[in-house]
Amino acid sequence: MIDDAAPRQASDRRAARPAVPLPAAVSLAVAAGAAWALAAPPRSWWPLLPAGVAALTIALHGRRLRARLVLGGLTGLVLYAWTLAWLTGFAVPGYVGVALLEAAMLAVAVALVPTAGIGRWSGGWWGLPVALVLLDAAQARFPFGGFPLPSLVLSQLDGPFALAAPLGGSLLVTALAATAGVGLAAVFLTRGSRRLVSVGIAAVVVGAPLAAGSAVTTTPTGSLDADVVQGGGPRGLRAVFTNPQDTTDRQYAVAEQITGSPDLVLFPEAVISVPGSIAGSAAESRVADLARMLDAPVVVGVAESQDAGFRNVAVLYGPDGTLLDRYEKKHRVPFGEYIPGRALLERVTDLTALVPRDAIVGEGVALLDSPVGALGVVISYEVLFADRVREAVLAGGEIVLVPTNAASYVTEEVPAIEVAAARLRAREFGRAVLQSAPTGYSAVVLPDGRVVAQTELGAPGLLRETVPLYTGLTPYTRLGDLPFVALAGFTLLAPALAGEVRRRRALQRQCDDRQ
């Protein structure tokens, strides 16, 4: 049985309501997990994130450590069991393991919320937004170098809190949405003048960054007439069970529909497979012929087989058909492009049959130097990581290209997550994003996060849009995540540090009184 409400001082009892009964707290924790799951892509019902925070805040109010841990874990089980169900299409044990791990991470984050200072800005349930910020930061780095697909922030692209993304990225957006939720909870939890103060503080904390973030702009330098290619085809098939040439031919069948001479043509990730390097191959001749015919630069995703594994590459060909530049993917997909602990897993599972060789970690900067400008590029999974796009923009990228491949997934969740991530990166860095996938979603995203064109899943499609090029750096591009992680950590520790200072002063006074 989990602990009941923690004791509070008389002043706190007057300022805040008592803890809700334990059955009600459990129901609220379950409701919070369900609300966050419904907020996630592809539904993207953004108000449900702050609503879920409000429910969890009320559930946690006045609870001891063990109770907070259990309630947080319960919220996580509901959230991740729902939103990660697409993993069952790959391996049920993997789904169970990842869902439990993510639920445990949420439980730990919630347990960090202090009980001291209920009804005060410095502690208590006001610590929940900070804990969720640290959870967001942790998911971008752990496990396997980061697994941010269940990130709460991806629900917020159609809501007002995304306006702050250029100022502080996903961490600030998460903090504002969660603070708004705590403000809602304060209406129920606090009494008298304390209610007005709490709600007012929440409004100021949320409103000021939104106003500042909405004023951040980058500098337009021109535009591109771009074509994004999607060949279409069956979904839910792993690459090892498909004919690579069929995938290639479907992309070219759509590319043949391109008219005139665009400024840029973008193909999806790994739609050409070659032994060794693409340089000098028949596949290269085909791409070069297309570039010469259109008199346009072409960026195409290539899987290059090597003795040590394979390279996942975005290759740029110039209008004259010459190979101008290439970018090799750095952040690989665990259990998709490489098997963590392969030597051990090969003894206990046949999962390695789906990924017979590991991708080789790429080198170099995420940038393609093209005749039409500096093209930032991140490949597929990398769009979920702000640091990869930040590298591209800091290197001079005036637009971001995302060749991707989500054809292995039967359902809509992962393609929708990728589009949400592309929209978030566009807002964070003030750059348009072109995303090309063989079976969807391909999309064109403006720097303000608006999707101006998007294909259907599984269907062939050709998107042709004029998109802006931008220079200049947003505050988030300059700062990155570190200042916000440090601030969140300090804010969470502040009540404990203040309590220790008060304890030492009390001891010192006692010593002085005895002398």
Side-chain angles (χ1 to χ4, degrees):
M1 183 175 178
I2 62 176
D3 292 334
D4 204 352
R8 295 192 302 275
Q9 299 296 324
S11 60
D12 285 335
R13 287 198 297 269
R14 291 191 297 268
R17 294 180 183 272
V20 298
L22 187 56
V26 170
S27 297
L28 287 168
V30 171
W36 292 351
L38 289 170
R43 293 164 296 275
S44 300
W45 298 341
W46 66 266
L48 292 182
L49 176 56
V53 170
L56 185 57
T57 298
I58 295 171
L60 296 174
H61 174 57
R63 302 286 169 186
R64 298 177 189 269
L65 174 62
R66 190 171 67 177
R68 298 198 305 275
L69 191 66
V70 173
L71 291 172
L74 185 58
T75 299
L77 285 175
V78 174
L79 170 62
Y80 298 120
W82 189 334
T83 57
L84 294 177
W86 53 268
L87 280 171
T88 59
F90 293 84
V92 173
Y95 159 68
V96 173
V98 172
L100 289 176
L101 176 60
E102 296 291 344
M105 291 173 65
L106 178 57
V108 171
V110 169
L112 292 174
V113 178
T115 55
I118 296 296
R120 300 175 186 172
W121 178 258
S122 61
W125 33 270
W126 290 107
L128 184 56
V130 176
L132 294 180
V133 165
L134 294 176
L135 174 67
D136 190 350
Q139 288 175 330
R141 294 158 179 83
F142 176 84
F144 313 123
F147 187 75
L149 276 82
S151 178
L152 295 173
V153 72
L154 295 179
S155 67
Q156 295 302 295
L157 275 303
D158 292 318
F161 306 111
L163 291 172
L167 201 63
S170 65
L171 301 186
L172 182 58
V173 175
T174 299
L176 298 184
T179 300
V182 172
L184 291 175
V187 175
F188 173 81
L189 290 173
T190 54
R191 294 170 169 168
S193 61
R194 186 63 58 85
R195 176 181 297 168
L196 295 176
V197 171
S198 297
V199 175
I201 290 175
V204 171
V205 169
V206 172
L210 290 183
S214 64
V216 173
T217 59
T218 45
T219 305
T221 59
S223 61
L224 278 181
D225 180 18
D227 279 285
V228 176
V229 176
Q230 176 173 307
R235 294 183 54 77
L237 297 177
R238 299 300 294 264
V240 293
F241 301 131
T242 61
N243 184 341
Q245 191 59 48
D246 290 344
T247 300
T248 303
D249 291 343
R250 282 192 288 266
Q251 312 310 311
Y252 278 101
V254 171
E256 290 172 357
Q257 302 171 20
I258 298 174
T259 58
S261 179
D263 296 321
L264 180 69
V265 177
L266 177 63
F267 276 70
E269 173 192 21
V271 291
I272 293 177
S273 297
V274 294
S277 172
I278 191 174
S281 67
E284 180 179 61
S285 297
R286 193 174 183 184
V287 181
D289 288 345
L290 177 67
R292 284 190 290 266
M293 181 185 73
L294 297 175
D295 190 29
V298 176
V299 176
V300 60
V302 181
E304 297 180 333
S305 298
Q306 308 283 334
D307 291 338
F310 70 96
R311 298 185 185 277
N312 190 340
V313 190
V315 184
L316 168 67
Y317 288 87
D320 61 355
T322 58
L323 196 160
L324 298 180
D325 209 347
R326 56 186 278 145
Y327 166 70
E328 298 181 7
K329 187 175 185 178
K330 291 183 179 180
H331 203 130
R332 305 169 297 169
V333 182
F335 303 102
E337 292 177 311
Y338 79 104
I339 303 296
R342 177 181 287 273
L344 174 63
L345 289 179
E346 283 180 338
R347 300 178 183 178
V348 298
T349 180
D350 63 352
L351 182 62
T352 55
L354 299 177
V355 187
R357 291 173 300 169
D358 289 345
I360 300 168
V361 178
E363 299 178 352
V365 180
L367 195 73
L368 297 175
D369 188 8
S370 86
V372 294
L375 309 174
V377 57
V378 292
I379 298 177
S380 189
Y381 190 58
E382 293 183 317
V383 76
L384 294 166
F385 297 89
D387 64 326
R388 302 300 309 127
V389 178
R390 182 170 181 252
E391 176 185 285
V393 173
L394 286 174
E398 299 172 278
I399 192 172
V400 176
L401 310 182
V402 186
T404 187
N405 191 334
S408 299
Y409 305 99
V410 177
T411 61
E412 185 187 5
E413 278 80 1
V414 173
I417 286 170
E418 286 190 323
V419 172
R423 296 178 64 191
L424 180 60
R425 303 289 92 87
R427 280 188 173 274
E428 288 172 336
F429 299 102
R431 298 295 190 271
V433 178
L434 301 179
Q435 179 169 296
S436 178
T439 63
Y441 292 117
S442 298
V444 177
V445 183
L446 296 183
D448 61 5
R450 285 183 295 141
V451 178
V452 294
Q454 182 172 309
T455 59
E456 297 180 3
L457 285 181
L462 180 65
L463 305 179
R464 185 158 192 172
E465 296 288 337
T466 299
V467 292
L469 299 175
Y470 275 81
T471 59
L473 304 179
T474 64
Y476 177 65
T477 308
R478 298 178 187 277
L479 296 173
D481 285 336
L482 183 59
F484 299 96
V485 173
L487 179 61
F490 174 78
T491 304
L492 200 62
L493 292 174
L497 295 175
E500 179 64 18
V501 170
R502 288 194 296 269
R503 187 185 69 83
R504 290 178 179 271
R505 287 177 177 174
L507 289 175
Q508 184 61 47
R509 285 195 297 269
Q510 291 177 4
C511 292
D512 293 342
D513 291 342
R514 291 171 183 169
Q515 293 178 354

